[in-house]
Amino acid sequence: MERKNKIEHGFETYKANLSELIKIRSVLSDDALPFGEGINQALDKVLEISESLGFNTFKDPEGYYGYAEIGSGDLFAVLCHIDVVDEGNLEDWDSDPYLLSERNGKLYGRGTSDDKGPTLAAMFGLRWLLDEGFTLSKKVRFIFGTDEENLWRCLDAYKAKEALPVMGFAPDADFPLVNVEKGMVQLMLRGDSSNIEGGDSYNAVASHATVQLVKPLGDTLGYRYKLEDDILTVYGKSAHASTPEEGENAIYYLSKILKEMGVSKDIENFVVDLYEGDVMSQFVDSVSGHLTFNVGKAIDGGVSLDIRYPVSYTEKDILKGVHSISDPHHLSVQRISGLHHLYIPEDSPLVLALMESYKAVTHDLGAKPLKMGGATYARAMDNIVAFGPQFPDDVMSAHQANEFIDIENTKKAIEVYMHAFEKLV
């Protein structure tokens, strides 16, 4: 109860500091090196907050990263980031995304959930633990990334210059923790140029796809569509590429329509074979489940393919499967990017300690570590897992209009982080 009272009494200070950080629009831009003036200002601000909490700070001379640390001994890292995604359409927000707003027990603003709010939650958790008289056995370093929402160039720079931790966590996903992240590879496939254009991004299920018809429209197979003159647009439902089953892929739908009409090209036939064949379903294991895939963009005559694959397979295995579908259609396959999987066993000391900390606070004794197709900062270094701040019943609002954190759950997350530091550092 004493710890809960400490969090309760200190929460106004947490909010005041979070408000200062939310004010800064730390979105990638080219108005200053390396990633924009807003990101530079946010890095300076989080370092200023760190110093006020009694941590020693360092800023990379080139501005790629900074860190705050305290203690000595083996290095324990908390991987954070202070860059945010664009606010999108301001009309979709009920309040200014860069002014911290409180209503209905929630704090609203861009970065409250991803990742400014969780960053400060972990920092204040350690500060308040130390105020209890706790003595550190390790050096704890909060590493502040500046390019997490894009290419992770900040951590590339950090790893080239700095000491690596023996273990740690990233407060940028879900509780109880994520110990399995599938491997990822993104591809571009091209052949006889498709006439389809559509999709929203490489890592999202295509919500729309358009083509200029070369013959009268036939059976639309029940899909939602709009026809203006000879321009056919088919509609699906967007979802993140890591959970394509939650969406409906318009590029696949339109490819199938064109095939039914007898006017499809090799690239569209490939898309239909990909979705309706069984080649990709063979990739499954007991640790991380099934492979998932998504055609995200139809652009410049080709299509992008995002694949999240189980941890027991290699990228080479996956590419072999893709070629078995694409080669009969005479398509080229270009690798755009990829990430190695993350897997830390449930019986590892790190996972056991973090799970115990989560259960001690929440009393969710049946909780199990999570697996996901998405990618967190935890992949960037060995022996790191994603740990909170989202609780199982929380509404996901990161990257959306009216992004928020629940106040009571944030207090609970701080308490979980205090327990975790107590066990591990």
Side-chain angles (χ1 to χ4, degrees):
M1 185 58 69
E2 186 173 325
R3 182 169 288 181
K4 292 182 186 297
N5 288 337
K6 174 69 173 177
I7 296 170
E8 189 69 37
H9 293 149
F11 198 74
E12 287 300 316
T13 304
Y14 167 85
K15 283 196 322 187
N17 282 275
L18 179 58
S19 178
E20 290 300 307
L21 205 49
I22 296 296
K23 284 180 183 178
I24 302 170
R25 186 178 182 274
S26 50
V27 175
L28 179 70
S29 71
D30 58 5
D31 61 352
L33 294 175
F35 306 122
E37 183 57 31
I39 290 176
N40 291 343
Q41 291 178 9
L43 181 57
D44 288 340
K45 176 56 69 173
V46 78
L47 293 173
E48 177 186 315
I49 294 169
S50 302
E51 290 175 359
S52 74
L53 294 175
F55 302 142
N56 299 315
T57 62
F58 172 81
K59 182 180 179 181
D60 171 47
E62 296 179 281
Y64 279 84
Y65 63 88
Y67 58 75
E69 63 184 17
I70 192 167
S72 60
D74 290 340
L75 185 60
F76 184 97
V78 183
L79 301 187
C80 314
H81 68 93
I82 49 81
D83 60 312
V84 299
V85 297
D86 186 276
E87 65 277 4
N89 185 0
L90 286 173
E91 295 181 358
D92 293 335
W93 287 79
D94 296 329
S95 53
D96 189 327
Y98 299 107
L99 288 177
L100 189 69
S101 303
E102 182 174 344
R103 55 185 184 273
N104 303 319
K106 299 177 175 65
L107 297 174
Y108 291 85
R110 177 58 86 225
T112 50
S113 170
D114 182 21
D115 185 43
K116 295 175 179 180
T119 294
L120 293 191
M123 291 170 61
F124 274 84
L126 180 59
R127 178 65 267 167
W128 291 336
L129 177 65
L130 295 173
D131 289 347
E132 293 178 356
F134 180 76
T135 300
L136 293 170
S137 62
K138 294 183 177 70
K139 177 184 287 187
V140 181
R141 178 177 289 178
F142 295 88
I143 301 171
F144 306 120
T146 57
D147 188 40
E148 191 273 349
E149 300 293 0
N150 292 279
L151 300 176
W152 295 15
R153 290 164 289 187
C154 48
L155 288 191
D156 290 340
Y158 177 91
K159 290 189 290 185
K161 300 177 182 180
E162 304 288 351
L164 298 180
V166 297
M167 65 173 65
F169 66 80
D172 195 19
D174 300 312
F175 284 127
L177 60 80
V178 180
N179 73 318
V180 176
E181 298 183 19
K182 294 177 181 178
M184 296 174 55
V185 63
Q186 290 184 329
L187 309 171
M188 178 62 71
L189 295 99
R190 301 184 186 279
D192 57 343
S193 291
S194 171
N195 293 319
I196 293 177
E197 292 186 358
D200 306 289
S201 68
Y202 285 6
N203 66 350
V205 175
S207 64
H208 59 92
T210 300
V211 72
Q212 183 173 11
L213 296 175
V214 296
K215 62 181 290 188
L217 179 63
D219 186 357
T220 59
L221 307 177
Y223 303 134
R224 292 186 298 124
Y225 73 96
K226 179 175 69 175
L227 182 63
E228 293 184 345
D229 297 326
D230 58 350
I231 304 299
L232 173 64
T233 300
V234 174
Y235 297 100
K237 177 186 174 184
S238 186
H240 195 277
S242 64
T243 54
E245 69 279 1
E246 297 178 3
E248 300 175 18
N249 197 297
I251 295 173
Y252 160 55
Y253 289 170
L254 184 50
S255 296
K256 189 169 183 176
I257 290 171
L258 295 179
K259 187 171 183 178
E260 290 286 328
M261 293 174 63
V263 295
S264 57
K265 295 190 174 183
D266 284 341
I267 196 80
E268 292 132 17
N269 293 333
F270 161 79
V271 171
V272 174
D273 288 351
L274 175 72
Y275 276 86
E276 299 186 357
D278 59 5
V279 171
M280 305 309 279
S281 64
Q282 68 181 297
F283 298 104
V284 59
D285 65 27
S286 60
V287 172
S288 51
H290 289 271
L291 174 150
T292 63
F293 63 84
N294 173 64
V295 173
K297 292 279 286 183
I299 185 171
D300 297 332
V303 294
S304 69
L305 177 59
D306 181 297
I307 300 174
R308 316 292 172 107
Y309 57 90
V311 300
S312 59
Y313 294 92
T314 67
E315 184 179 303
K316 185 177 180 180
D317 296 329
I318 305 308
L319 291 176
K320 184 177 179 181
V322 172
H323 276 283
S324 73
I325 309 171
S326 64
D327 287 354
H329 298 293
H330 312 290
L331 305 184
S332 66
V333 180
Q334 177 189 1
R335 183 184 188 276
I336 303 299
S337 65
L339 286 172
H340 191 63
H341 71 260
L342 178 149
Y343 173 51
I344 299 180
E346 291 188 24
D347 60 357
S348 73
L350 175 65
V351 171
L352 288 173
L354 294 178
M355 288 298 299
E356 289 173 11
S357 300
Y358 172 80
K359 292 177 181 180
V361 174
T362 65
H363 308 294
D364 181 7
L365 302 183
K368 299 289 186 182
L370 305 173
K371 55 191 176 186
M372 64 186 293
T376 75
Y377 250 179
R379 294 181 194 239
M381 299 178 192
D382 293 338
N383 209 26
I384 309 281
V385 296
F387 184 51
Q390 298 288 320
F391 287 93
D393 294 331
D394 281 348
V395 175
M396 175 68 173
S397 65
H399 293 203
Q400 300 177 26
N402 297 312
E403 179 183 345
F404 71 89
I405 51 173
D406 180 272
I407 290 174
E408 292 307 313
N409 280 353
T410 300
K411 295 173 184 176
K412 184 163 59 174
I414 292 172
E415 188 177 0
V416 173
Y417 290 139
M418 292 176 76
H419 273 266
F421 287 129
E422 198 169 24
K423 282 185 171 294
L424 288 167
V425 302

